[in-house]
Amino acid sequence: MASSSLLLRLLLGLFLAFWQHRPARAQIAAQDAEIVGTLPYDSKSDFLSEPQPKKVERAEVSVSDVVKSLSGLQTALAGQRASSCGVASIKKRRWEAPSSLKPQCGVLMSMNCSISYMQLQCPESCPFLAPHPYYPCRFRCVKEAGCSDTNRNLALPNNTFKACMKCPLEGCALCKNKTMCKECFSGFVLQGDTCHFSFLAGSWATITMLVLIVLVVILILTGIIYYCTQPWNEHRTHNLRAIMAGRYHRHLSKVMRWDLKSELHPRTWYTLGIDLQSENVLGSGLALFYNSICFIFVVSILVFGAQFYLLSSSTVADAILPSGSSPVSFDTTFEEALDHSSPVYALAPPSFLVSPLDQCSWRTPHNYSESLLDFAHKSAICYALLYVALFIVSIIFARQQYMSAKSFDAMHKSMKDFCLLLEGLPPSQTDEQALTSWLQQQLNLDLEGVSIQYNYGGKEQEVNSMLARHHVLLQNDLQAFNNDHILLGATELETLKQEIGDDRKKTGEWFAGGENALKGTGKAFVVFRRSCDKDNVQNDFAKNPNLLVHPDAPEPLTIEPVHSEPADIFWQNAHLTEKEIAQNERKSVLWVLFMFTLLNGLISWPWYIVGVVPYSHSGNDISGPVTNLSGILMAILNGVLGGEVCGAAFRVGYGRKDKADIFIFVVMTSMNLFNTMLNVYLFAFSAFGKTSSHTQGQILTSIDRTEWLGEEADVVGKVLQMMVSGNLFTNTIMGLVTNALINPLLFTLMQKVVYVWRCWPRFLLKILHVALPWCPPSMERYEVFNAEKCLEAPQVGLPWDYGALISNCTVVFWCLNLVSPRLWELSLALVVFGAFFWVWCRELHLRVHSVGFISTHRLDHVMMIFWGLPLTIVGTASVTWLIRAGYLMVDTEPHVKMLVLTAITCIGWAVWVALVRVVYPYELGSVADLDVGTLADCKARWCFSWFNCNPIFALKCMYYVQDENGKTRADWKHPLACGEDPNLPRFYRFGKEYLFLSKEKQKYVNANLRSYTEPDTLLEALFAFLDKVGTPRSKQDVSRREAAVTAPSNEVAPLLSN
């Protein structure tokens, strides 16, 4: 290395001597003088004398002369023959020694010249030298029109240097000069002397953008004019109250601890660092999810360690990209540096110039062939050991998750621990008291009661409206929120009571018998007072399946364990049979696949074909307008598909939330994996598009035979950029920004425009009304229920969070099949993501999202099954590297190798699934209680119960069991659907826990309602501004508007709808 440093200093001296015809400023030690003594020059004073202080003019010396002189100097210093510089090897099937040092046409060659490409001269039949896009020591000799065939970035034939140089014109396949193009790549059109992207060619894109800008400006001006001159909604006072109530509901629907027994603190925030295993916040599923994040973090560290070892113990990084991490072009060669170098006085010692070819003399394909094979050998062993280690760790973790779920269930008592599902009842059995009495006689136990699942299919909207009206009445009676702007006026209150009177009559018809009477579904939840009683009954039924024989049922009743909380039950779907659910499931999957194929077939894939593929095939990186349009399209498609998947999951008719979560996770993760891997393929296409060959199958050949290592490194670099700037961090951050800031702000503005200001023409208001979530049929009155559901934050979305873990790990682990010195960075990014995701999800789940229980471990179980995909990919990577090391399938066709690797992946995944089903069963099984829990203690902890979560039973208690004065029927002995007071009927819904408290405690609900760690709190200042904007501004309308604001509306509220 010392001699190399001395050589570079002497090269600098000679360059300065020729270039400026002045003595160079160089500091040469005594050992340098000995080497200088070997120079074939009589005088050494030009290299050793001191420089003159004044500036000198540049001499007219050709670059070619300088290069030849430097080449001669290097030859003399290296003790080589003058003719030793030339072609070092030729790429055929393998890298072979050339028959001559002279370049040849039509083949990939490697040189040993270390100063300039001008040391070589291509044959006259192919006079232009085209450097490889990733390896400066490799090149081809091509004709003038073939420059971009070898290297898409080098489309400018330079007759001075006889080399292909970089053309700054985008999409140009053959440049006349740096400002004029002669021929364009496919997908580009030649207009004048420049190429234009076909999809954006012409003025349509500019015109479209201008039209959109003009439309936006017109809409804004129209809104301002209508706001100032046109009358507002005549029900705006009522609608403003609804919007204000929706904003309060958004805060109160967040994840909080509600304590019905507390006198001063009935509602408190959970700390972000709460131990989710020792505290039951949202069920066992949330604790298991954070365990999974920690598991992914540990796995990422192991993968990072393996990558770091491989790259630090091998010289493969030098073999992949000798010039660094960026592709090279002729513009960075030594000649260009000479041509643009600064005057001598700007070069202070010991500065010197270095050619990108300075290592070509000793770094040839022959020299690093053995190191590449050694790297492939080490990679095969390392990834095999890594797979074994990860497999063992994963099995241990899966078992630990199972034990954690059982430990959580044994540690925490909740409503599901006091309940069994009774099936096989006659549909006519809708008398809770009679059924409870019969069960107590049969079981010889004192039960709390039963919660019958009613068949109210087709009446869901009506039931929701009736319950919502009851909630509004309770809010007014309890003086909830301590805010006069939300409370009803006298006229509105009277109207509401009339509607509730109609609801009471209708409910009476449902339970008084007759043709309008509701039927049961044959299912009922049996509620026990002690958890041990439930366990005893379950054990007795296991021994005697004929334990319960109902006199009106054709067969003995069956008993099933209950794994979900009552708030997780979809009561409206109880009437559906398993066969109907299975049919709906297939229909929903087919519908999602149809929408996925339709949207991608009409928008995404055509855009890739006409936009991304031609752009990347021209050698350009996918960036600029192409990236922007791709990002917009992907955002729209993901939003539409996400909504379709959620809608499909709830259309299936699952009886429990955990099944819907599993459906969403499986479908969304599968689609995300497909789209993400499609992007990875596009990155590969872009990288390989820099050269003319399409033999990507050479990736599965022996590593010393392939010529695509640079392209592989480029793919990994692009995946790293995509993951760091997109999947790992940006997408996660945008989830918070969208759910916590954009959506509530946008929806509130839309509510004000439609239901208060009415500041657009009616046809535009209709469009905006339809786009508003949970909009009622009318644009006149906006009810509290609709406003609350519109502004309600999304529930805790573990299906999407689990999907992010699986898809990100799959992409990173797939890259283990490739060669890149940046793989360790990709693995390190996954490590950082694990730590970041843990913290970020805490903020999302405990401050942004609304309540959504994850009562079971089943979603985590399915996630562990999907974990087999990225895990098996690590094992497949070991087989891939055995192939690349030359141990397996050396002469097998690439497509056969791909089929074999795919089969190995499928088999490995199947083995993993079989083992997971053993160590981590889908059913949790019986759990021994740590202590005997009582239902009374559980009621003190949770607001919800098996009675107040049942919509029909809640209405029955409100309007049938009790009269309009709140007096319970004398013959009613069954518990009511109630809250803190057992005599006051209540219906439980997330965000309505405060209605279970007494009037005296309502003032404490608002205490610390907002938190500075809650993003919605930051929006309150903006919401306050919008409230002020809601004040009348039009002078000619001010008196009428002020009168309308202070007076309540006289309109009758229509039925609510969802």
Side-chain angles (χ1 to χ4, degrees):
M1 296 302 294
S3 61
S4 175
S5 177
L6 294 176
L7 172 61
L8 291 172
R9 294 183 183 182
L10 293 176
L11 291 176
L12 173 65
L14 183 57
F15 158 69
L16 296 175
F18 272 101
W19 203 249
Q20 299 295 341
H21 271 228
R22 300 295 299 172
R25 300 179 61 186
Q27 298 175 347
I28 304 177
Q31 56 182 344
D32 294 32
E34 297 179 2
I35 298 179
V36 174
T38 64
L39 295 177
Y41 296 100
D42 296 331
S43 172
K44 297 181 270 296
S45 60
D46 286 344
F47 291 92
L48 302 177
S49 60
E50 291 295 325
Q52 299 297 322
K54 64 180 182 178
K55 180 180 176 181
V56 295
E57 297 297 330
R58 179 168 174 170
E60 294 296 331
V61 180
S62 69
V63 174
S64 179
D65 293 337
V66 175
V67 171
K68 292 178 181 178
S69 299
L70 291 175
S71 179
L73 174 62
Q74 182 205 28
T75 302
L77 292 173
Q80 300 173 329
R81 293 178 294 106
S83 61
S84 62
C85 171
V87 177
S89 55
I90 297 179
K91 180 67 171 66
K92 295 182 179 178
R93 187 171 184 180
R94 293 179 181 272
W95 286 101
E96 300 177 359
S99 58
S100 171
L101 294 176
K102 295 182 178 180
Q104 303 177 23
C105 295
V107 294
L108 181 65
M109 295 166 281
S110 174
M111 70 171 69
N112 59 9
C113 305
S114 57
I115 293 181
S116 168
Y117 292 115
M118 295 186 66
Q119 294 176 264
L120 296 174
Q121 185 174 358
C122 288
E124 292 184 1
S125 58
C126 50
F128 292 93
L129 186 145
H132 193 276
Y134 296 97
Y135 299 96
C137 298
R138 301 182 186 181
F139 68 98
R140 292 178 186 268
C141 288
V142 298
K143 297 180 180 180
E144 179 180 7
C147 282
S148 59
D149 291 338
T150 299
N151 188 334
R152 301 292 186 184
N153 290 323
L154 306 182
L156 176 59
N158 189 292
N159 289 308
T160 302
F161 296 134
K162 289 298 180 182
C164 301
M165 300 183 67
K166 185 174 183 179
C167 179
L169 303 178
E170 185 178 84
C172 188
L174 180 61
C175 294
K176 297 179 181 178
N177 51 52
K178 291 187 176 182
T179 60
M180 300 175 64
C181 184
K182 183 177 181 181
E183 182 180 341
C184 297
F185 283 108
S186 175
F188 291 80
V189 294
L190 187 64
Q191 295 180 352
D193 294 326
T194 58
C195 296
H196 296 269
F197 190 33
S198 299
F199 191 77
L200 300 177
S203 57
W204 74 268
T206 304
I207 294 175
T208 302
M209 183 60 65
L210 291 176
V211 169
L212 291 176
I213 294 175
V214 170
L215 287 177
V216 171
V217 172
I218 291 176
L219 289 176
I220 294 175
L221 293 177
T222 303
I224 294 175
I225 294 173
Y226 268 68
Y227 173 84
C228 296
T229 61
Q230 297 299 314
W232 292 355
N233 192 313
E234 58 181 328
H235 304 290
R236 62 183 174 279
T237 303
H238 171 85
N239 297 342
L240 279 171
R241 287 170 179 163
I243 295 172
M244 182 69 73
R247 282 162 50 184
Y248 270 94
H249 174 76
R250 181 178 176 87
H251 288 285
L252 292 171
S253 64
K254 301 295 180 65
V255 180
M256 304 176 187
R257 180 185 176 96
W258 291 88
D259 188 353
L260 299 181
K261 299 299 182 181
S262 176
E263 296 294 335
L264 299 178
H265 304 288
R267 182 198 57 77
T268 55
W269 290 96
Y270 287 108
T271 61
L272 294 179
I274 188 173
D275 184 358
L276 296 173
Q277 186 71 25
S278 61
E279 178 78 15
N280 188 358
V281 177
L282 292 176
S284 61
L286 192 62
L288 296 177
F289 168 73
Y290 283 94
N291 292 344
S292 297
I293 296 180
C294 296
F295 167 70
I296 296 298
F297 179 74
V298 173
V299 167
S300 303
I301 292 177
L302 294 176
V303 175
F304 168 73
Q307 281 298 315
F308 191 80
Y309 162 76
L310 283 174
L311 294 175
S312 62
S313 63
S314 174
T315 60
V316 69
D318 296 332
I320 297 171
L321 286 179
S323 64
S325 59
S326 301
V328 297
S329 65
F330 197 86
D331 296 80
T332 60
T333 57
F334 194 46
E335 287 81 356
E336 291 294 302
L338 291 174
D339 192 44
H340 298 92
S341 61
S342 302
V344 63
Y345 60 84
L347 295 172
S351 301
F352 53 81
L353 296 170
V354 180
S355 169
L357 312 179
D358 66 318
Q359 298 174 342
C360 294
S361 60
W362 58 273
R363 181 174 291 151
T364 64
H366 289 297
N367 293 340
Y368 57 72
S369 176
E370 293 184 3
S371 65
L372 286 174
L373 290 173
D374 179 65
F375 175 79
H377 174 76
K378 287 183 178 180
S379 297
I381 296 176
C382 184
Y383 292 146
L385 295 176
L386 179 64
Y387 172 70
V388 173
L390 293 182
F391 194 93
I392 295 174
V393 170
S394 300
I395 286 293
I396 295 174
F397 175 73
R399 188 62 183 178
Q400 182 61 38
Q401 287 288 83
Y402 176 71
M403 300 306 296
S404 296
K406 299 194 71 169
S407 174
F408 188 97
D409 190 58
M411 185 186 308
H412 302 288
K413 289 292 179 290
S414 60
M415 290 297 172
K416 64 185 177 62
D417 296 308
F418 300 91
C419 183
L420 289 174
L421 177 61
L422 189 65
E423 295 182 309
L425 290 169
S428 60
Q429 178 56 269
T430 58
D431 188 340
E432 286 82 4
Q433 293 187 102
L435 182 58
T436 301
S437 177
W438 178 80
L439 285 172
Q440 289 182 146
Q441 293 177 1
Q442 297 295 315
L443 300 176
N444 195 23
L445 283 174
D446 191 13
L447 300 176
E448 180 73 10
V450 296
S451 181
I452 296 175
Q453 289 188 290
Y454 290 89
N455 182 357
Y456 63 103
K459 296 182 174 66
E460 295 90 347
Q461 179 176 332
E462 186 177 7
V463 170
N464 287 337
S465 300
M466 296 167 70
L467 293 170
R469 282 191 285 271
H470 184 264
H471 280 162
V472 173
L473 181 62
L474 285 178
Q475 289 174 189
N476 200 77
D477 291 344
L478 295 174
Q479 300 291 303
F481 308 134
N482 192 27
N483 190 327
D484 294 336
H485 294 291
I486 299 180
L487 300 180
L488 299 177
T491 305
E492 287 183 313
L493 183 60
E494 184 63 27
T495 302
L496 179 63
K497 289 182 178 180
Q498 293 177 3
E499 293 175 345
I500 289 179
D502 296 337
D503 295 340
R504 185 179 298 277
K505 293 179 182 179
K506 187 170 296 185
T507 304
E509 295 176 357
W510 289 350
F511 298 105
E515 60 180 11
N516 294 327
L518 288 180
K519 300 295 184 180
T521 61
K523 304 174 185 177
F525 292 102
V526 183
V527 185
F528 298 83
R529 292 180 176 174
R530 299 189 305 170
S531 59
C532 60
D533 293 339
K534 181 210 68 171
D535 295 335
N536 293 334
V537 170
Q538 193 171 355
N539 293 333
D540 293 342
F541 180 78
K543 298 175 183 178
N544 181 18
N546 297 323
L547 179 64
L548 297 174
V549 179
H550 195 275
D552 298 330
E555 296 181 357
L557 305 184
T558 60
I559 292 178
E560 297 292 338
V562 177
H563 303 290
S564 299
E565 301 298 340
D568 282 350
I569 302 299
F570 295 148
W571 300 84
Q572 69 274 17
N573 297 330
H575 64 285
L576 297 175
T577 64
E578 292 296 328
K579 183 178 180 180
E580 290 174 325
I581 293 176
Q583 291 177 348
N584 293 341
E585 195 172 46
R586 289 191 291 270
K587 291 178 182 177
S588 295
V589 170
L590 291 176
W591 171 254
V592 171
L593 290 177
F594 169 75
M595 290 299 298
F596 178 79
T597 306
L598 179 66
L599 292 175
N600 281 284
L602 294 179
I603 301 175
S604 180
W605 296 334
W607 165 244
Y608 288 141
I609 294 174
V610 303
V612 177
V613 171
Y615 199 84
S616 60
H617 190 66
S618 67
N620 297 291
D621 290 331
I622 304 176
S623 59
V626 177
T627 300
N628 295 335
L629 286 175
S630 299
I632 293 173
L633 290 176
M634 289 303 298
I636 295 174
L637 290 177
N638 289 336
V640 174
L641 289 175
E644 288 295 331
V645 171
C646 290
F650 291 100
R651 286 195 299 269
V652 170
Y654 291 117
R656 301 195 310 267
K657 179 177 176 293
D658 60 345
K659 290 187 175 182
D661 286 341
I662 291 173
F663 180 92
I664 294 172
F665 167 74
V666 172
V667 176
M668 285 299 299
T669 302
S670 301
M671 292 194 303
N672 286 340
L673 281 173
F674 180 87
N675 284 331
T676 303
M677 294 309 297
L678 177 62
N679 285 333
V680 173
Y681 173 78
L682 290 175
F683 293 150
F685 190 90
S686 176
F688 285 93
K690 289 181 169 53
T691 57
S692 60
S693 177
H694 298 281
T695 56
Q696 291 91 329
Q698 289 195 20
I699 293 178
L700 295 178
T701 61
S702 178
I703 194 171
D704 65 326
R705 292 164 55 179
T706 182
E707 58 184 85
W708 307 113
L709 301 185
E711 285 83 346
E712 293 182 40
D714 194 19
V715 171
V716 174
K718 285 180 168 55
V719 171
L720 175 63
Q721 182 181 4
M722 176 190 73
M723 298 298 289
V724 172
S725 63
N727 295 30
L728 294 179
F729 303 106
T730 303
N731 291 354
T732 307
I733 294 173
M734 286 306 299
L736 184 145
V737 173
T738 301
N739 293 326
L741 300 177
I742 297 178
N743 284 350
L745 179 61
L746 179 62
F747 293 157
T748 301
L749 185 61
M750 292 170 65
Q751 290 171 335
K752 291 289 185 78
V753 170
V754 175
Y755 290 104
V756 179
W757 302 329
R758 195 175 282 178
C759 57
W760 271 351
R762 190 168 184 81
F763 77 94
L764 292 178
L765 291 177
K766 288 182 179 180
I767 297 174
L768 202 62
H769 170 256
V770 174
L772 190 66
W774 290 85
C775 61
S778 171
M779 289 198 306
E780 303 302 321
R781 289 177 62 91
Y782 197 43
E783 302 301 337
V784 172
F785 176 76
N786 302 99
E788 289 177 345
K789 297 302 292 184
C790 176
L791 293 177
E792 189 176 78
Q795 289 188 349
V796 174
L798 292 194
W800 286 270
D801 298 332
Y802 271 125
L805 296 178
I806 295 298
S807 59
N808 290 335
C809 289
T810 301
V811 173
V812 173
F813 294 174
W814 180 85
C815 289
L816 300 181
N817 294 281
L818 305 178
V819 183
S820 174
R822 306 194 69 185
L823 270 175
W824 71 271
E825 298 180 46
L826 190 58
S827 303
L828 181 60
L830 192 61
V831 174
V832 176
F833 166 76
F836 164 79
F837 200 56
W838 190 95
V839 176
W840 196 256
C841 283
R842 288 281 178 147
E843 172 68 17
L844 279 175
H845 297 159
L846 300 180
R847 293 295 185 271
V848 176
H849 290 160
S850 62
V851 175
F853 268 81
I854 310 97
S855 306
T856 71
H857 71 293
R858 292 176 175 176
L859 179 59
D860 188 76
H861 167 86
V862 177
M863 177 269 180
M864 289 306 298
I865 289 178
F866 266 70
W867 170 248
L869 176 60
L871 175 65
T872 308
I873 286 176
V874 176
T876 306
S878 175
V879 180
T880 300
W881 283 104
L882 286 175
I883 296 175
R884 304 193 73 174
Y887 296 131
L888 295 176
M889 297 183 285
V890 177
D891 296 322
T892 307
E893 292 295 325
H895 69 276
V896 177
K897 298 177 183 179
M898 185 61 67
L899 290 176
V900 171
L901 292 176
T902 303
I904 292 174
T905 303
C906 294
I907 294 173
W909 196 358
V911 171
W912 167 257
V913 171
L915 288 176
V916 167
R917 294 176 64 87
V918 174
V919 301
Y920 194 5
Y922 185 73
E923 299 292 341
L924 198 59
S926 60
V927 179
D929 295 331
L930 298 180
D931 56 5
V932 178
T934 63
L935 184 63
D937 294 336
C938 193
K939 285 181 180 179
R941 171 64 180 86
W942 302 104
C943 296
F944 54 78
S945 70
W946 291 104
F947 305 127
N948 60 34
C949 283
N950 188 332
I952 301 300
F953 183 69
L955 288 174
K956 185 176 185 178
C957 294
M958 296 171 190
Y959 301 142
Y960 181 73
V961 176
Q962 288 191 349
D963 58 20
E964 59 272 11
N965 297 319
K967 185 177 180 180
T968 305
R969 293 168 48 181
D971 60 343
W972 185 262
K973 305 300 180 183
H974 192 276
L976 297 175
C978 61
E980 183 181 18
D981 190 334
N983 297 316
L984 297 178
R986 296 289 187 269
F987 173 69
Y988 177 83
R989 183 161 68 90
F990 296 132
K992 295 297 181 181
E993 291 87 349
Y994 63 93
L995 298 179
F996 286 67
L997 302 172
S998 63
K999 186 175 182 179
E1000 292 73 20
K1001 292 183 180 180
Q1002 292 299 320
K1003 59 183 178 180
Y1004 299 111
V1005 173
N1006 287 332
N1008 299 320
L1009 177 62
R1010 301 177 179 90
S1011 170
Y1012 287 109
T1013 57
E1014 181 197 22
D1016 291 272
T1017 300
L1018 304 178
L1019 287 177
E1020 288 304 322
L1022 186 55
F1023 285 150
F1025 171 76
L1026 291 178
D1027 292 339
K1028 292 179 181 179
V1029 174
T1031 305
R1033 299 297 181 187
S1034 176
K1035 293 182 179 180
Q1036 62 268 31
D1037 198 39
V1038 65
S1039 59
R1040 184 180 65 81
R1041 293 183 180 181
E1042 287 178 351
V1045 169
T1046 56
S1049 174
N1050 295 321
E1051 294 288 333
V1052 177
L1055 287 179
L1056 294 168
S1057 67
N1058 59 357

